[in-house]
Amino acid sequence: MFSGVLKKMYTEIDDEVKYYLDFKDHIINFNQCLEKKISLKFIGYQCLSCLEEVEVFRQGFCRKCFFNTPLAGEWIMKPEMSKAHLGIEDRNLEYEKKIQLQPHIVYFAISSHIKVGVTRKSQLITRWIDQGADRALAIFEFPNRYLAGTCEVILKKSFSDKTNWRKMLSSVSDQSLNFSEAEKFVDNNIEDNLKAYSLQPRIYKEINFPVIRYPDKINSLNLKKSLHYSGKLTGIKGQYLIFEDSTVFNIRGNEGLRVEIDIE
Ligand SMILES: [Zn+2]
């Protein structure tokens, strides 16, 4: 039996993505748990920032931390709101400079449909894995988060920045989907001052997830409510565990939950 606080799984790109859950005392490699019965039990909370055992509000943080920690500033979800390049502080300028003033990539990814996104260059593959992208194409590299955000705002007029997770978890994306429409949109709608940051060549990646069987009718596990769940693991995609009875469990969406995990 393993016990710890859920944090998003860390991953390694390989022929198939490798998934690890870090419980401090133990590291669980979920690829080795495929076809095994896994039991999950909710035992409490621990805020990822202040470490207090208080209810988690969002993104693994308690309410107080969510509204105060620099790790949950609004510019994280909305890169165009970044201001560190102007020397303007949101919550902690030193942290914001460190994160925002580094190379950022604007990309398209196919998980359920074509979506647009921004990520730090150092996080590129991790980001694509976390959202369950079967294929992805990096288009631009900007020197900071703000510029990447302004480019994304233009692309969002035609492309969603959200993943349809139900669709992402129900199959490998349609092979007929490709990036040509997105590339055409970039050519026609991005101005030269931003086009100057085009990647040459663009970076294309295909990602294989360890999924033995995709579920038929997805049922999302709310462990806080049900307190306990057991099922046979049949796949891992994005940050989700997929079980034989079509239950899925979003590890990232449950950060800050203290759980016990049994593997048989
Ligand atoms: Zn907290």
Side-chain angles (χ1 to χ4, degrees), residues 47-52 54 61-66:
C47 170
L48 298 182
S49 177
C50 66
L51 306 182
E52 302 256 343
V54 291
F61 302 122
C62 72
R63 184 177 271 272
K64 194 171 126 237
C65 289
F66 180 77

PDB file of all heavy atoms in Angstrom, residues 47-52 54 61-66, ligand 1:
ATOM      1  N   CYS A  47      -2.545  21.047   0.807  1.00  0.00           N
ATOM      2  CA  CYS A  47      -2.269  22.120  -0.167  1.00  0.00           C
ATOM      3  C   CYS A  47      -0.823  21.986  -0.665  1.00  0.00           C
ATOM      4  O   CYS A  47       0.101  21.805   0.129  1.00  0.00           O
ATOM      5  CB  CYS A  47      -2.479  23.479   0.488  1.00  0.00           C
ATOM      6  SG  CYS A  47      -1.902  24.854  -0.522  1.00  0.00           S
ATOM      7  N   LEU A  48      -0.627  22.074  -1.973  1.00  0.00           N
ATOM      8  CA  LEU A  48       0.707  21.907  -2.549  1.00  0.00           C
ATOM      9  C   LEU A  48       1.617  23.092  -2.246  1.00  0.00           C
ATOM     10  O   LEU A  48       2.825  23.006  -2.403  1.00  0.00           O
ATOM     11  CB  LEU A  48       0.619  21.732  -4.070  1.00  0.00           C
ATOM     12  CG  LEU A  48      -0.144  20.514  -4.600  1.00  0.00           C
ATOM     13  CD1 LEU A  48      -0.075  20.475  -6.119  1.00  0.00           C
ATOM     14  CD2 LEU A  48       0.372  19.222  -4.004  1.00  0.00           C
ATOM     15  N   SER A  49       1.039  24.207  -1.810  1.00  0.00           N
ATOM     16  CA  SER A  49       1.865  25.376  -1.530  1.00  0.00           C
ATOM     17  C   SER A  49       2.176  25.497  -0.034  1.00  0.00           C
ATOM     18  O   SER A  49       3.327  25.411   0.374  1.00  0.00           O
ATOM     19  CB  SER A  49       1.171  26.635  -2.030  1.00  0.00           C
ATOM     20  OG  SER A  49       1.930  27.773  -1.702  1.00  0.00           O
ATOM     21  N   CYS A  50       1.155  25.659   0.827  1.00  0.00           N
ATOM     22  CA  CYS A  50       1.414  25.874   2.253  1.00  0.00           C
ATOM     23  C   CYS A  50       1.539  24.555   3.024  1.00  0.00           C
ATOM     24  O   CYS A  50       1.937  24.559   4.194  1.00  0.00           O
ATOM     25  CB  CYS A  50       0.332  26.749   2.873  1.00  0.00           C
ATOM     26  SG  CYS A  50      -1.302  25.992   2.902  1.00  0.00           S
ATOM     27  N   LEU A  51       1.184  23.433   2.376  1.00  0.00           N
ATOM     28  CA  LEU A  51       1.272  22.094   2.964  1.00  0.00           C
ATOM     29  C   LEU A  51       0.293  21.862   4.119  1.00  0.00           C
ATOM     30  O   LEU A  51       0.341  20.830   4.790  1.00  0.00           O
ATOM     31  CB  LEU A  51       2.707  21.761   3.424  1.00  0.00           C
ATOM     32  CG  LEU A  51       3.804  21.920   2.369  1.00  0.00           C
ATOM     33  CD1 LEU A  51       5.161  21.522   2.943  1.00  0.00           C
ATOM     34  CD2 LEU A  51       3.515  21.089   1.114  1.00  0.00           C
ATOM     35  N   GLU A  52      -0.598  22.831   4.348  1.00  0.00           N
ATOM     36  CA  GLU A  52      -1.621  22.649   5.395  1.00  0.00           C
ATOM     37  C   GLU A  52      -2.627  21.606   4.920  1.00  0.00           C
ATOM     38  O   GLU A  52      -2.905  21.496   3.726  1.00  0.00           O
ATOM     39  CB  GLU A  52      -2.370  23.965   5.633  1.00  0.00           C
ATOM     40  CG  GLU A  52      -1.497  25.117   6.025  1.00  0.00           C
ATOM     41  CD  GLU A  52      -1.585  25.447   7.499  1.00  0.00           C
ATOM     42  OE1 GLU A  52      -2.553  25.002   8.139  1.00  0.00           O
ATOM     43  OE2 GLU A  52      -0.685  26.133   7.996  1.00  0.00           O
ATOM     44  N   VAL A  54      -5.721  21.402   4.559  1.00  0.00           N
ATOM     45  CA  VAL A  54      -7.015  22.070   4.397  1.00  0.00           C
ATOM     46  C   VAL A  54      -7.550  21.770   3.004  1.00  0.00           C
ATOM     47  O   VAL A  54      -6.798  21.392   2.111  1.00  0.00           O
ATOM     48  CB  VAL A  54      -6.894  23.602   4.583  1.00  0.00           C
ATOM     49  CG1 VAL A  54      -6.596  23.947   6.023  1.00  0.00           C
ATOM     50  CG2 VAL A  54      -5.814  24.170   3.663  1.00  0.00           C
ATOM     51  N   PHE A  61      -4.138  23.859  -4.836  1.00  0.00           N
ATOM     52  CA  PHE A  61      -3.913  24.872  -3.814  1.00  0.00           C
ATOM     53  C   PHE A  61      -5.170  25.111  -2.983  1.00  0.00           C
ATOM     54  O   PHE A  61      -6.282  25.051  -3.505  1.00  0.00           O
ATOM     55  CB  PHE A  61      -3.496  26.198  -4.462  1.00  0.00           C
ATOM     56  CG  PHE A  61      -2.260  26.096  -5.311  1.00  0.00           C
ATOM     57  CD1 PHE A  61      -2.285  26.442  -6.656  1.00  0.00           C
ATOM     58  CD2 PHE A  61      -1.059  25.652  -4.758  1.00  0.00           C
ATOM     59  CE1 PHE A  61      -1.141  26.341  -7.441  1.00  0.00           C
ATOM     60  CE2 PHE A  61       0.092  25.552  -5.541  1.00  0.00           C
ATOM     61  CZ  PHE A  61       0.044  25.892  -6.885  1.00  0.00           C
ATOM     62  N   CYS A  62      -4.973  25.416  -1.712  1.00  0.00           N
ATOM     63  CA  CYS A  62      -6.094  25.852  -0.879  1.00  0.00           C
ATOM     64  C   CYS A  62      -6.534  27.233  -1.375  1.00  0.00           C
ATOM     65  O   CYS A  62      -5.834  27.876  -2.158  1.00  0.00           O
ATOM     66  CB  CYS A  62      -5.688  25.896   0.602  1.00  0.00           C
ATOM     67  SG  CYS A  62      -4.566  27.236   1.037  1.00  0.00           S
ATOM     68  N   ARG A  63      -7.691  27.672  -0.901  1.00  0.00           N
ATOM     69  CA  ARG A  63      -8.248  28.937  -1.392  1.00  0.00           C
ATOM     70  C   ARG A  63      -7.267  30.103  -1.186  1.00  0.00           C
ATOM     71  O   ARG A  63      -7.029  30.903  -2.086  1.00  0.00           O
ATOM     72  CB  ARG A  63      -9.569  29.209  -0.653  1.00  0.00           C
ATOM     73  CG  ARG A  63     -10.309  30.441  -1.125  1.00  0.00           C
ATOM     74  CD  ARG A  63     -11.620  30.575  -0.378  1.00  0.00           C
ATOM     75  NE  ARG A  63     -12.699  29.869  -1.044  1.00  0.00           N
ATOM     76  CZ  ARG A  63     -13.471  30.400  -1.994  1.00  0.00           C
ATOM     77  NH1 ARG A  63     -13.264  31.635  -2.390  1.00  0.00           N
ATOM     78  NH2 ARG A  63     -14.425  29.709  -2.544  1.00  0.00           N
ATOM     79  N   LYS A  64      -6.662  30.139   0.007  1.00  0.00           N
ATOM     80  CA  LYS A  64      -5.764  31.247   0.328  1.00  0.00           C
ATOM     81  C   LYS A  64      -4.560  31.255  -0.620  1.00  0.00           C
ATOM     82  O   LYS A  64      -4.201  32.283  -1.180  1.00  0.00           O
ATOM     83  CB  LYS A  64      -5.312  31.107   1.786  1.00  0.00           C
ATOM     84  CG  LYS A  64      -4.667  32.340   2.349  1.00  0.00           C
ATOM     85  CD  LYS A  64      -4.455  32.202   3.863  1.00  0.00           C
ATOM     86  CE  LYS A  64      -3.013  32.458   4.203  1.00  0.00           C
ATOM     87  NZ  LYS A  64      -2.360  31.368   4.917  1.00  0.00           N
ATOM     88  N   CYS A  65      -3.972  30.095  -0.817  1.00  0.00           N
ATOM     89  CA  CYS A  65      -2.788  30.026  -1.694  1.00  0.00           C
ATOM     90  C   CYS A  65      -3.154  30.283  -3.144  1.00  0.00           C
ATOM     91  O   CYS A  65      -2.394  30.930  -3.872  1.00  0.00           O
ATOM     92  CB  CYS A  65      -2.096  28.678  -1.549  1.00  0.00           C
ATOM     93  SG  CYS A  65      -1.264  28.502   0.035  1.00  0.00           S
ATOM     94  N   PHE A  66      -4.323  29.769  -3.566  1.00  0.00           N
ATOM     95  CA  PHE A  66      -4.707  29.961  -4.965  1.00  0.00           C
ATOM     96  C   PHE A  66      -4.731  31.447  -5.331  1.00  0.00           C
ATOM     97  O   PHE A  66      -4.336  31.827  -6.432  1.00  0.00           O
ATOM     98  CB  PHE A  66      -6.069  29.329  -5.250  1.00  0.00           C
ATOM     99  CG  PHE A  66      -6.497  29.495  -6.687  1.00  0.00           C
ATOM    100  CD1 PHE A  66      -5.949  28.702  -7.692  1.00  0.00           C
ATOM    101  CD2 PHE A  66      -7.415  30.468  -7.050  1.00  0.00           C
ATOM    102  CE1 PHE A  66      -6.316  28.868  -9.025  1.00  0.00           C
ATOM    103  CE2 PHE A  66      -7.794  30.643  -8.378  1.00  0.00           C
ATOM    104  CZ  PHE A  66      -7.242  29.841  -9.364  1.00  0.00           C
TER     105      PHE A  66
HETATM  106 ZN    ZN B   1      -2.309  26.588   0.926  1.00  0.00          ZN
END
